[in-house]
Amino acid sequence: CVLHLPLQEMIRAIRSARTQCEERGVIQRECAAIRAQFRQADNGGRSHNLAKLLYVHMLGYPAHFGQMECVRMIASPRYSEKRVGYLGAMMLLDEKQDASLLITNSIKNDLSHSNQYVQSLALCTLACMGSAEMCRDLAPEIDRLLRASNSYIKKKAALCAVHIVRKVHDLGELFAPAARSLLAEKNHGVLHGAVVLITELCERNPETLERFRKTVPDLVQIMKGLVISGYSPEHDVAGISDPFLQVRILRLLRILGRNNEAASDAMNDLLAQVATNTDSTKTVGNAVLYETVLTVLDIKSESGLRVLAVNILGRFLLNNDRNIRYIAMTSLQRIVGTDHNAVQRHRGTIVDCLKDQDASVKRRALELSLALVSATNIRSMMKELLLFLSSCPLELRAQAASGIFNAAERYAPSQRWHIDTILHVLTTAGGDVRDETVPNLIQLITNTSELHCYTVHKLYRALLSDISQQSLVQVACWCIGEYGDLLLRGECQETEPVQVTEDDVLDALETVLQSHMSAPATRGFALTATMKLSTRITDNVDRIRSIVSIYGSCIDVELQQRAVEYNALFKKYDHMRAAVLERMPVIEKNSPGHTNGESTREAVKEVQPAKVKQAETLLPQQPASQVCDLLDLLGGSEEPLQPNPAVGSTLPVLPVSTSSTAGGDLLDLLGGLEPTPLTPAPTVTVYEKGGVTLTLSSEKQSDSGLTVTLTACNSTDSDISSFTLQAAVPKSVQLHMKAPSGDSLPARGAAKVTQMVALSNPNKVNLKMRIRISYTSQGSAFQDTVQVDSFPEH
């Protein structure tokens, strides 16, 4: 049995254990012996036992049973026991332990001890684990020690005051006068503690910050003394006099000079002197230079000084140490927006860092390179970025591609260059681009009508060479479907003539459809492109019909639905196929869901048919029972209720039947107020044919806003189903169609359908609207168009 081992012997026994179980056995036996000795009243080896317990604690084993022994040893008059007791308190106690409060009185007594080393133990312990309550109780003692004559104690007291300020913010005012007086000390340790304390006070209280701005000249003088002082063996580190104090002073100057012209002016000369005289060949000097740069960039410094700071960061980029290169690029990234031209001078060095082996440096170099792209260097920078994209790590490809797209969209010198750049990215990293890349590129191609022929030829060649890049294949399929006739013509000014046959194009699309690499969305693009070619080629329409019919039984539901609908176009609606598959109009970026197109008479905005949403807006002509079903959420009653329009409801005022007083209380929120009758807007009949009547009323919402209400009624003896309205307006007018109240018109005017249309006319053009009416009656489909040239004013 191994008992009562000295500390060194216990450490040797633990290290020599061959298994974890054997190590645990040694520790358990030792802990049992330590517990037994703690229980003895007179124990001469208490400090050795606690030291062994602290080693056990460092190994991760439970040692909480030694907390009370720490409290007893702190109260001991012997320094050797106090030292181990305080060490144990710092390791085993924290503010969550009740035992920590028991040492408050001992710490207070030791802070007044005649021995400076005992005072130091108490200060270190309070600074390490003092709770908010202990800090409040002992703060006056710390303030007293800050004014002591002993430099050793003042240094410790300053750092203890920092902990107290962090724990109890209100006590900062207590230490401010003493902290300022410490700046007159010559001892570097005291100065270091004073600067750290002042920094903490200034960061936490704006009023204190204003008061300490008066100390800038003092700090500048201390810093100058450090910079011009000769060799001092006590403070010299690699030729720099006390770099730790210099860094702390520079950080404090940064806080004091931020957003303050006078304080910044007072430190400009000093910062220039430090930036030019500090040795940059050693890591120590680079640390001081880096803090100087951060201070220059954060205060209101002179423009020449800022250029000097950026040049220092440029030198850092050439350093062999990757850490220094990394922090240089991090700093340049922060200031590239404000000092763009100064950073631009180091563009070559930054681009070279793209070839660095370190992944973190590469990422920072990429971010900085993208930030440096401008209209003047777009071509040269894009060459470097595209070269980087071809060999960059997989985790950076998405970021690089996205940055290249943004830069190309912002600074593209020409549309052709823009398209070529995006196609190059899609060819290189098509699988890593964002989802919106495909529609954005399609929009760009659509708007560049003079390059349609060039683009479709280039994409067709890309499709033949590689179908693994899904984004590229989707754009290629879309362009072949839209501009297949230009591809078949074979004549293109921008490229050498290539003879492409109809079978060649269909073979390429079938390859995409049959490839295992094609995603379902890509197959959808290819199938639609194949269908669109049926109106652009002459000889192979039967082949297209057979391709479409094959996919009518595809396992993918989306693809199957497309194929079935396209097959119906070939059979039942063949007369409409050419119109349905005509070339897409020019797409313009607008509010979501809006696309711009061309009309035969003028440019209009085409709007997709509004989706049917039953009972979105109820009409006054609807039966009361339908309104009752919507309103009577709490059950039926015999008492009629009127919903109050003041509650924000768009429902008309109707007598409806509900069944419970609770329902009445819920609806009649304003209780007893009579609804204000609304003045009906003037209506005009814009369409009347085949028993279907369409009336229009409008209401001006603002100087450029107008709300149009279309109301349809059926006076025939048969019901009408699948009733939809579509509208188009001039190109400069924004249009938003709300959901209709229904899609069916009962016979003999039993109910009506309304459609709300919101118009925005910022350019004040002459308002016109073309309305397409579609419906089914007695199994037959009807479609008609009417144009409205004027709107009734409210």
Side-chain angles (χ1 to χ4, degrees):
C1 180
V2 183
L3 290 176
H4 309 298
L5 290 175
L7 175 60
Q8 292 83 353
E9 290 296 326
M10 186 188 77
I11 293 174
R12 192 174 294 115
I14 291 173
R15 287 182 176 177
S16 63
R18 287 169 293 182
T19 63
Q20 189 176 7
C21 180
E22 189 178 339
E23 175 188 296
R24 198 161 46 238
V26 173
I27 289 175
Q28 285 176 349
R29 288 192 296 271
E30 277 300 314
C31 286
I34 292 171
R35 278 195 190 92
Q37 292 196 6
F38 280 170
R39 287 193 290 268
Q40 295 178 10
D42 185 16
N43 177 12
R46 289 192 306 175
S47 60
H48 297 293
N49 287 326
L50 187 55
K52 289 196 289 184
L53 186 61
L54 294 181
Y55 181 75
V56 169
H57 171 74
M58 290 167 60
L59 294 178
Y61 291 91
H64 55 278
F65 59 88
Q67 291 173 354
M68 292 308 298
E69 187 68 13
C70 293
V71 175
R72 285 193 289 268
M73 290 182 68
I74 287 172
S76 169
R78 298 174 60 183
Y79 176 77
S80 59
E81 292 187 353
K82 271 185 183 293
R83 184 178 60 177
V84 178
Y86 274 123
L87 177 62
M90 287 188 273
M91 294 178 64
L92 302 180
L93 293 178
D94 56 38
E95 58 186 74
K96 297 177 184 177
Q97 307 288 341
D98 294 336
S100 63
L101 297 175
L102 299 176
I103 65 172
T104 303
N105 197 50
S106 295
I107 291 178
K108 185 174 183 178
N109 292 335
D110 287 341
L111 288 175
S112 303
H113 202 278
S114 57
N115 188 324
Q116 64 175 359
Y117 298 109
V118 174
Q119 288 179 302
S120 171
L121 291 175
L123 286 169
C124 289
T125 305
L126 181 60
C128 177
M129 48 75 65
S131 63
E133 292 80 3
M134 293 172 67
C135 289
R136 285 193 183 92
D137 292 341
L138 300 175
E141 294 293 321
I142 305 303
D143 182 54
R144 177 180 62 81
L145 292 178
L146 283 172
R147 304 169 193 277
S149 58
N150 189 330
S151 298
Y152 178 77
I153 295 300
K154 281 195 282 193
K155 172 181 67 174
K156 302 277 186 179
L159 296 178
C160 185
V162 172
H163 172 78
I164 293 175
V165 172
R166 288 173 180 169
K167 278 291 178 185
V168 187
H169 305 330
D170 302 339
L171 292 175
E173 290 296 318
L174 174 65
F175 300 120
R180 182 166 182 175
S181 65
L182 290 178
L183 292 178
E185 290 284 328
K186 300 297 182 185
N187 184 281
H188 283 214
V190 177
L191 284 175
H192 190 281
V195 171
V196 173
L197 177 57
I198 294 171
T199 302
E200 195 70 33
L201 294 174
C202 292
E203 284 180 336
R204 296 186 179 278
N205 192 329
E207 295 179 2
T208 306
L209 172 63
E210 287 299 323
R211 290 207 302 271
F212 273 105
R213 282 209 167 103
K214 298 174 184 176
T215 65
V216 169
D218 300 332
L219 292 167
V220 168
Q221 203 59 38
I222 295 171
M223 188 70 185
K224 280 185 177 179
L226 292 171
V227 172
I228 64 176
S229 66
Y231 174 74
S232 170
E234 187 181 355
H235 305 116
D236 185 86
V237 180
I240 306 293
S241 177
D242 203 341
F244 301 100
L245 180 56
Q246 288 194 39
V247 166
R248 285 292 183 181
I249 292 175
L250 288 168
R251 289 180 184 175
L252 179 54
L253 288 175
R254 180 157 74 243
I255 296 170
L256 297 174
R258 188 179 297 147
N259 300 323
N260 188 279
E261 196 79 43
S264 299
D265 288 342
M267 62 184 78
N268 271 332
D269 293 342
L270 168 71
L271 295 173
Q273 184 179 0
V274 175
T276 53
N277 293 342
T278 303
D279 181 14
S280 60
T281 59
K282 302 283 179 63
T283 303
V284 179
N286 286 330
V288 175
L289 281 174
Y290 180 60
E291 287 298 331
T292 306
V293 168
L294 293 182
T295 302
V296 168
L297 298 177
D298 214 18
I299 66 172
K300 291 184 174 294
S301 52
E302 299 169 351
S303 59
L305 191 56
R306 296 181 71 86
V307 171
L308 178 60
V310 175
N311 290 340
I312 291 173
L313 293 176
R315 290 205 308 272
F316 282 1
L317 292 175
L318 299 171
N319 199 295
N320 293 328
D321 191 324
R322 285 175 180 165
N323 293 322
I324 295 177
R325 294 203 300 275
Y326 179 86
I327 63 170
M329 281 185 285
T330 304
S331 304
L332 290 171
Q333 180 74 28
R334 288 167 48 194
I335 63 168
V336 69
T338 54
D339 296 273
H340 190 271
N341 291 333
V343 181
Q344 193 74 246
R345 296 191 189 99
H346 304 281
R347 189 176 75 230
T349 311
I350 293 166
V351 170
D352 286 341
C353 289
L354 288 171
K355 302 168 187 160
D356 198 284
Q357 297 300 315
D358 188 85
S360 299
V361 174
K362 271 188 180 180
R363 184 181 297 276
R364 288 298 183 195
L366 173 62
E367 293 171 356
L368 195 50
S369 299
L370 291 170
L372 288 176
V373 176
S374 64
T376 56
N377 63 24
I378 179 70
R379 291 183 183 273
S380 59
M381 283 296 290
M382 202 55 71
K383 284 181 183 177
E384 297 288 349
L385 290 169
L386 290 175
L387 185 64
F388 171 74
L389 183 66
S390 61
S391 60
C392 76
L394 291 176
E395 63 270 15
L396 290 182
R397 277 194 182 176
Q399 182 183 357
S402 177
I404 290 172
F405 285 157
N406 292 336
E409 184 174 2
R410 190 172 180 184
Y411 301 113
S414 67
Q415 294 280 31
R416 176 170 173 175
W417 182 93
H418 192 179
I419 292 173
D420 285 345
T421 300
I422 296 181
L423 293 183
H424 188 289
V425 174
L426 292 181
T427 306
T428 308
D432 299 295
V433 299
R434 294 178 179 174
D435 294 339
E436 65 267 20
T437 301
V438 173
N440 287 349
L441 179 54
I442 288 174
Q443 182 213 0
L444 174 64
I445 294 170
T446 308
N447 291 347
T448 318
S449 57
E450 68 275 9
L451 293 177
H452 285 170
C453 185
Y454 166 76
T455 306
V456 73
H457 274 82
K458 188 158 187 175
L459 282 167
Y460 175 70
R461 292 174 185 171
L463 189 64
L464 291 180
S465 61
D466 184 14
I467 61 169
S468 63
Q469 306 287 1
Q470 296 298 287
S471 300
L472 180 69
V473 174
Q474 290 174 10
V475 178
C477 289
W478 189 93
C479 282
I480 290 171
E482 289 299 315
Y483 314 120
D485 50 340
L486 303 177
L487 180 63
L488 296 172
R489 195 181 302 161
E491 297 176 3
C492 186
Q493 294 179 353
E494 290 85 358
T495 62
E496 56 186 56
V498 177
Q499 189 59 43
V500 181
T501 65
E502 295 177 1
D503 282 324
D504 292 338
V505 179
L506 292 176
D507 286 344
L509 292 175
E510 271 203 280
T511 303
V512 175
L513 282 167
Q514 295 169 3
S515 172
H516 67 279
M517 292 186 288
S518 297
T522 307
R523 287 193 172 94
F525 273 87
L527 187 63
T528 302
T530 305
M531 186 64 189
K532 285 218 164 192
L533 285 177
S534 68
T535 63
R536 291 153 175 74
I537 65 177
T538 54
D539 299 333
N540 283 352
V541 177
D542 289 338
R543 180 180 175 184
I544 293 175
R545 187 183 289 111
S546 65
I547 293 172
V548 170
S549 62
I550 288 172
Y551 286 91
S553 57
C554 178
I555 193 171
D556 183 82
V557 178
E558 171 68 22
L559 209 57
Q560 182 188 108
Q561 181 177 345
R562 287 190 190 212
V564 169
E565 290 170 353
Y566 294 157
N567 204 37
L569 273 180
F570 274 122
K571 294 178 180 176
K572 189 174 180 181
Y573 302 101
D574 197 53
H575 62 285
M576 299 171 57
R577 181 161 54 87
V580 171
L581 299 176
E582 66 185 6
R583 190 165 291 176
M584 289 289 288
V586 175
I587 304 170
E588 289 187 5
K589 280 187 178 178
N590 239 322
S591 54
H594 291 183
T595 56
N596 288 345
E598 293 179 358
S599 174
T600 54
R601 296 176 64 177
E602 62 177 335
V604 297
K605 185 174 290 181
E606 294 188 357
V607 179
Q608 295 178 350
K611 300 261 175 111
V612 176
K613 189 172 181 183
Q614 189 69 27
E616 173 85 5
T617 308
L618 294 171
L619 303 178
Q621 290 79 4
Q622 283 186 296
S625 60
Q626 294 184 23
V627 186
C628 170
D629 293 339
L630 184 65
L631 294 176
D632 185 18
L633 303 177
L634 302 179
S637 161
E638 301 301 326
E639 293 184 27
L641 281 175
Q642 288 189 343
N644 196 327
V647 189
S649 172
T650 58
L651 301 171
V653 179
L654 290 177
V656 294
S657 27
T658 62
S659 79
S660 124
T661 56
D665 293 338
L666 178 67
L667 293 170
D668 191 12
L669 298 178
L670 299 182
L673 291 179
E674 291 297 326
T676 305
L678 299 174
T679 305
T683 61
V684 294
T685 301
V686 296
Y687 179 82
E688 192 169 9
K689 189 184 292 186
V692 175
T693 304
L694 184 65
T695 61
L696 180 147
S697 65
S698 61
E699 184 176 358
K700 201 165 186 179
Q701 301 294 334
S702 64
D703 189 36
S704 61
L706 187 71
T707 299
V708 176
T709 305
L710 300 170
T711 306
C713 180
N714 172 25
S715 59
T716 64
D717 294 332
S718 57
D719 293 343
I720 286 177
S721 61
S722 302
F723 183 85
T724 58
L725 294 173
Q726 293 172 269
V729 292
K731 195 171 185 178
S732 63
V733 179
Q734 293 181 359
L735 177 148
H736 178 62
M737 296 186 77
K738 306 288 180 66
S741 60
D743 67 339
S744 61
L745 286 171
R748 294 180 291 278
K752 297 183 180 181
V753 168
T754 58
Q755 174 84 60
M756 304 285 289
V757 182
L759 301 177
S760 177
N761 185 14
N763 296 334
K764 309 290 179 61
V765 300
N766 186 22
L767 268 181
K768 295 181 180 181
M769 179 185 289
R770 182 170 298 161
I771 304 168
R772 178 181 290 174
I773 304 162
S774 307
Y775 60 88
T776 302
S777 178
Q778 296 180 339
S780 300
F782 293 89
Q783 183 172 300
D784 207 351
T785 304
V786 61
Q787 180 153 324
V788 181
D789 294 324
S790 61
F791 295 87
E793 295 186 2
H794 193 283

